[in-house]
Amino acid sequence: MEFLKRPMKFAFLWLEGWFDRFFGPKWNPFYCLGALGYYYFWIVAASGIYIFIFFDTGIPQAFTSTEYMTHDQWYLAGIMRSLHRYASDAMVVMVLMHLCREFAFDRYRGGRWFSWVTGVSTLWLVFSAGVTGYWLVWDKLAQYIAIASTEWLDWLPIFGEPIARNFLASSHFDGRFFTLLVFMHIAIPLFLLFIMWFHLQRISYAKVNPARGLAVGTLAMLFVLSLVKPAISHEMANLAEVPGVLNMDWFYLWAYPMIEHLGPGFMWAFAGGGTLLLILVPWLPPKKRRPAAVVDLKNCNGCTRCVTDCPFRAVNMQPRTDGAPFREEAVVDPSMCVSCGICVGACPTAMPFRRASDLVAGIELPDLSVAHIRAQAHEAAVPLNGKDRIIAFGCDHGCDAAKLGINNLAFVPLRCAGMLLPSFIDYVLSKNLADGVVVSGCREGECHHRIGNVWVDGRLARERDPQLRRRVPVERLLKNWAAPTDRRQLFTEISAFQARLRDLPEDDAATRLTLVNGGKTDGTETSETAA
Amino acid sequence: MMKPAQIIAQATVYALFALGIGVLSTRPSYTHFDPARALIKVSFAHGGEPVTACRKRSRAELKALAANMRKASICPRQRVALRFELSLDNTVILSETLPPTGWRGDGSSKIYRRIPTTAGRHTIVAKLRDSRRDQGFDHVSRHTITLVPGQSLSIDFKPAHGGFIYE
């Protein structure tokens, strides 16, 4: 799979880098492909409800009522019809890109298999909903789809009579068929919506709405497209004639020429086999899962921060079982845990300053304990010297600062930047292990573990617990969100940071607190001085 | 605040996306069927005769049965396979044996075929055997028609409506 994933990931990272420049991280469409899929769904639903008011079932009525909307009431129903079509097409694009992106970034295995499998199952529903919609118009394209679809279904040996016989001649065809079709065209999207909801059941803080600017931009785009190129029908269907040349919607109808040229059996094998393969992908090959986070009840005070911060709903609270004087305790569901360590970064007991007892946090990753991270920081600090010593805490998925070849920089790897408790920054600086600390991770708006860098932003900006202590001289801190392809950017930022460190006075306790991001202030300046 | 270059870049991205959707929603066109040709569709679902004739039960047989089961005759469920042949302008273009459907072979035999042909005048002969006989056909129909380009002619079989139906 790696031979597929690597080029795909590189292509996504390259494109996303450009889109970051055009749109900024908040509006970057690549960071909200799923949310855009939802958004297009709602546009399709809203426009569909409107055109349903004017749609009439019946053999000529289905076509004539659509023509009325397209030509007589073009200014509203016609635009709604076009929005309905184009938003449906855009939804297919988003769903497929979302799937490809999650695959390329390896975000579908381990505890994330559930979202992947439920997402794959939406594909059939999305395409079925689209096909039944094209069928309803009852033009030549609808006739072609109806006949080809039923011929495809007839390949299965489950029907007493070929259902394609319903379209043999006009005398075989009944207008009540459209009543059934309308029902299907409503029921399938409703079921799709249910699966879309199901799809999000194992993640918290799911992004189901794109940023407002992106939503406005994309709606305006669809509106302009609807005006410039309104959706129109072919001629009315006539079962005494064979549809000849068709203007196909290739987003939905790409399979039909395949059925025709390669045979219905091949298409069943392709669709069924493809679906099965996609469903099994999370286990091909099985991912060697890291051990799930474990709760140490001696250190868990039931504060719920790990539950709040877990991006995958893997941590829950349950009544206390050890008799300690707290109401609840955290409990981890190993099947849902992706071992990102964000819960560790949220745990106030992961305090590196602890001396009275062994450093064990209330919640820990068994293979990367807080004590181990502290020891690594100490070890990393040994060879550093001078005024620009840096310890960089970085995640496994962002740009690797260790590979930048920067002098006087030691790297402490984390599973996710969100795993870093802010007190580690305080610890490194106050213990004089380094002159500056770098926190690096995936690009802004694009965390491998969904929201790790968002939590870090909040913690360092002192808006989210556990907060960075006010005594920390923040000009000695650089946080930089960069992808593996952003090496030059990270190199430049760290080099400039080192230069700033060299210029700082030896004792800079009383300085302004400024969080630096990419060499610029991020607007969280305070005038308070450190303690 | 967005820079003008960013606004232009965003507008370009939206325009390209819209262009992609707008074009691929209708283009390229696909030729499903050569408009100069015509199509003959043959489809019917019809049950053949039972494989053996019904026979009357003897008195002894009837007496041996429960009172509510005393049906006078026994008929086998399984039906014969149909033999169908279609000729176009004196050339046999379809010759098939259609087995009955169902686990016990007691359902209708069915067929659905598409036969593209040239437009113009054609003589079609459809023959069907649905009895236990070994040779010959029980239903024969001869039909002459001028097919116009793009026309779809359906051939159905309904005994209640007189046999083969051309529509």
Side-chain angles (χ1 to χ4, degrees):
Chain A
M1 293 284 185
E2 283 305 314
F3 74 98
L4 266 177
K5 280 187 212 167
R6 205 164 285 174
M8 282 172 76
K9 184 177 177 180
F10 179 80
F12 272 115
L13 286 173
W14 183 79
L15 266 174
E16 288 166 15
W18 280 102
F19 273 65
D20 267 347
R21 286 173 214 175
F22 301 158
F23 288 82
K26 273 189 184 169
W27 289 12
N28 190 333
F30 283 98
Y31 300 159
C32 46
L33 293 170
L36 279 170
Y38 268 86
Y39 181 61
Y40 290 130
F41 178 88
W42 294 122
I43 295 176
V44 173
S47 53
I49 288 168
Y50 184 79
I51 56 181
F52 181 62
I53 295 168
F54 300 97
F55 183 77
D56 202 355
T57 55
I59 292 172
Q61 292 93 332
F63 179 78
T64 52
S65 61
T66 309
E67 287 295 280
Y68 164 78
M69 287 187 261
T70 307
H71 300 293
D72 297 343
Q73 209 201 110
W74 66 268
Y75 49 88
L76 197 52
I79 288 175
M80 287 293 184
R81 182 190 175 193
S82 302
L83 277 177
H84 195 65
R85 173 181 292 186
Y86 294 136
S88 307
D89 291 338
M91 186 176 171
V92 170
V93 176
M94 291 307 136
V95 167
L96 294 179
M97 282 178 65
H98 183 46
L99 184 137
C100 290
R101 192 170 185 276
E102 297 306 285
F103 173 77
F105 285 81
D106 199 28
R107 294 173 186 170
Y108 60 95
R109 297 194 290 163
R112 298 169 95 155
W113 70 268
F114 180 84
S115 299
W116 175 267
V117 170
T118 51
V120 168
S121 64
T122 63
L123 293 176
W124 279 84
L125 295 167
V126 168
F127 284 108
S128 304
V131 166
T132 52
Y134 270 104
W135 213 333
L136 277 172
V137 179
W138 202 233
D139 60 356
K140 283 270 164 66
L141 181 61
Q143 180 184 341
Y144 166 69
I145 297 167
I147 293 170
S149 301
T150 47
E151 286 176 355
W152 186 53
L153 289 168
D154 279 334
W155 186 86
L156 299 173
I158 55 173
F159 300 103
E161 274 192 32
I163 50 174
R165 276 177 55 72
N166 288 307
F167 306 102
L168 200 59
S170 307
S171 61
H172 287 247
F173 193 46
D174 197 314
R176 278 180 299 176
F177 170 76
F178 286 98
T179 311
L180 170 69
L181 213 54
V182 165
F183 169 76
M184 284 171 65
H185 193 55
I186 294 171
I188 294 172
L190 280 176
F191 190 56
L192 171 64
L193 184 61
F194 170 70
I195 299 292
M196 284 160 67
W197 168 79
F198 208 51
H199 179 59
L200 304 176
Q201 289 312 296
R202 286 199 173 188
I203 56 173
S204 46
Y205 309 101
K207 203 196 297 187
V208 290
N209 294 311
R212 193 173 297 173
L214 186 61
V216 170
T218 197
L219 183 61
M221 174 202 74
L222 291 174
F223 186 72
V224 171
L225 178 60
S226 302
L227 283 174
V228 173
K229 189 175 184 270
I232 53 170
S233 307
H234 291 66
E235 284 175 38
M236 188 178 164
N238 179 357
L239 294 175
E241 293 174 3
V242 194
V245 180
L246 298 163
N247 298 326
M248 303 276 275
D249 182 336
W250 294 101
F251 295 102
Y252 281 95
L253 309 178
W254 52 270
Y256 287 89
M258 285 176 75
I259 297 173
E260 209 171 314
H261 295 288
L262 301 171
F266 172 85
M267 199 58 212
W268 274 114
F270 179 79
T275 307
L276 189 65
L277 182 68
L278 280 175
I279 286 174
L280 292 177
V281 154
W283 297 277
L284 296 175
K287 187 179 186 178
K288 194 178 174 190
R289 290 179 74 163
R290 294 179 188 276
V294 290
V295 175
D296 183 72
L297 283 183
K298 283 183 194 160
N299 289 286
C300 174
N301 61 11
C303 70
T304 74
R305 282 180 188 143
C306 52
V307 179
T308 308
D309 281 10
C310 177
F312 298 98
R313 296 190 180 178
V315 193
N316 291 294
M317 300 306 290
Q318 70 175 23
R320 204 77 197 186
T321 57
D322 62 348
F326 305 107
R327 235 178 47 177
E328 290 180 314
E329 66 187 32
V331 58
V332 177
D333 180 346
S335 68
M336 293 168 77
C337 178
V338 301
S339 313
C340 63
I342 290 176
C343 52
V344 181
C347 183
T349 61
M351 177 69 80
F353 288 99
R354 265 165 66 175
R355 275 188 191 172
S357 58
D358 290 341
L359 175 53
V360 179
I363 190 162
E364 287 264 30
L365 291 184
D367 59 343
L368 186 59
S369 65
V370 176
H372 182 71
I373 295 170
R374 185 175 69 176
Q376 271 191 308
H378 275 280
E379 197 179 315
V382 173
L384 305 179
N385 56 66
K387 282 185 70 186
D388 58 359
R389 297 167 301 151
I390 289 178
I391 288 183
F393 294 95
C395 82
D396 287 347
H397 304 279
C399 189
D400 189 348
K403 291 181 181 166
L404 297 175
I406 296 175
N407 288 329
N408 237 6
L409 179 142
F411 185 68
V412 179
L414 303 170
R415 295 289 144 68
C416 174
M419 188 178 180
L420 185 72
L421 197 79
S423 57
F424 264 95
I425 299 163
D426 188 9
Y427 183 80
V428 166
L429 295 175
S430 62
K431 297 286 179 187
N432 198 24
L433 298 180
D435 301 298
V437 175
V438 171
V439 180
S440 68
C442 308
R443 277 183 186 150
E444 188 180 347
E446 200 295 307
C447 171
H448 184 81
H449 295 298
R450 299 191 52 248
I451 40 181
N453 51 15
V454 177
W455 290 166
V456 172
D457 281 339
R459 290 167 190 167
L460 298 189
R462 299 171 180 127
E463 292 164 354
R464 185 177 191 85
D465 282 334
Q467 298 180 8
L468 182 68
R469 290 180 72 174
R470 295 204 177 273
R471 71 176 189 177
V472 175
V474 191
E475 72 281 4
R476 292 191 179 275
L477 168 65
L478 172 74
K479 79 176 155 82
N480 193 291
W481 304 136
T485 50
D486 301 332
R487 293 180 64 171
R488 191 178 298 170
Q489 175 206 321
L490 187 59
F491 182 88
T492 310
E493 296 298 342
I494 294 179
S495 300
F497 180 53
Q498 274 187 319
R500 288 199 299 276
L501 288 176
R502 285 192 289 271
D503 292 341
L504 284 176
E506 290 284 340
D507 180 11
D508 60 338
T511 50
R512 286 169 61 83
L513 297 173
T514 308
L515 288 185
V516 183
N517 186 14
K520 299 167 192 166
T521 58
D522 69 353
T524 55
E525 283 190 355
T526 91
S527 58
E528 291 183 44
T529 51
Chain B
M1 190 70 183
M2 269 196 287
K3 295 173 189 166
Q6 278 183 309
I7 295 170
I8 293 167
Q10 284 190 23
T12 308
V13 169
Y14 283 126
L16 287 173
F17 189 45
L19 186 71
I21 290 177
V23 169
L24 287 174
S25 66
T26 52
R27 292 281 185 274
S29 295
Y30 171 68
T31 304
H32 158 60
F33 193 79
D34 181 356
R37 289 169 69 82
L39 181 71
I40 297 172
K41 278 188 186 179
V42 181
S43 179
F44 56 80
H46 173 62
E49 270 190 339
V51 286
T52 54
C54 300
R55 72 169 178 85
K56 289 201 167 177
R57 283 193 168 109
S58 65
R59 273 193 185 173
E61 279 179 314
L62 286 170
K63 205 174 175 183
L65 293 170
N68 64 325
M69 300 293 282
R70 287 175 188 161
K71 205 175 170 187
S73 56
I74 300 175
C75 293
R77 290 182 65 171
Q78 195 182 348
R79 293 170 183 273
V80 295
L82 304 188
R83 181 76 200 154
F84 176 67
E85 204 173 280
L86 187 75
S87 304
L88 186 70
D89 302 327
N90 296 321
T91 305
V92 176
I93 55 170
L94 207 60
S95 176
E96 294 200 24
T97 300
L98 310 173
T101 54
W103 291 110
R104 291 171 178 269
D106 57 349
S108 300
S109 298
K110 59 183 182 181
I111 185 170
Y112 181 92
R113 299 283 182 275
R114 294 159 52 91
I115 305 155
T117 188
T118 52
R121 193 172 173 78
H122 293 287
T123 300
I124 299 164
V125 178
K127 298 175 183 174
L128 180 71
R129 181 167 72 225
D130 60 358
S131 64
R132 290 186 289 275
R133 62 199 276 185
D134 295 332
Q135 299 292 321
F137 292 92
D138 302 296
H139 308 273
V140 177
S141 159
R142 187 182 185 84
H143 186 74
T144 301
I145 188 170
T146 302
L147 294 172
V148 298
Q151 184 176 347
S152 173
L153 173 74
S154 74
I155 303 175
D156 199 354
F157 180 77
K158 287 181 181 168
H161 291 80
F164 285 102
I165 300 166
Y166 299 83
E167 201 174 347

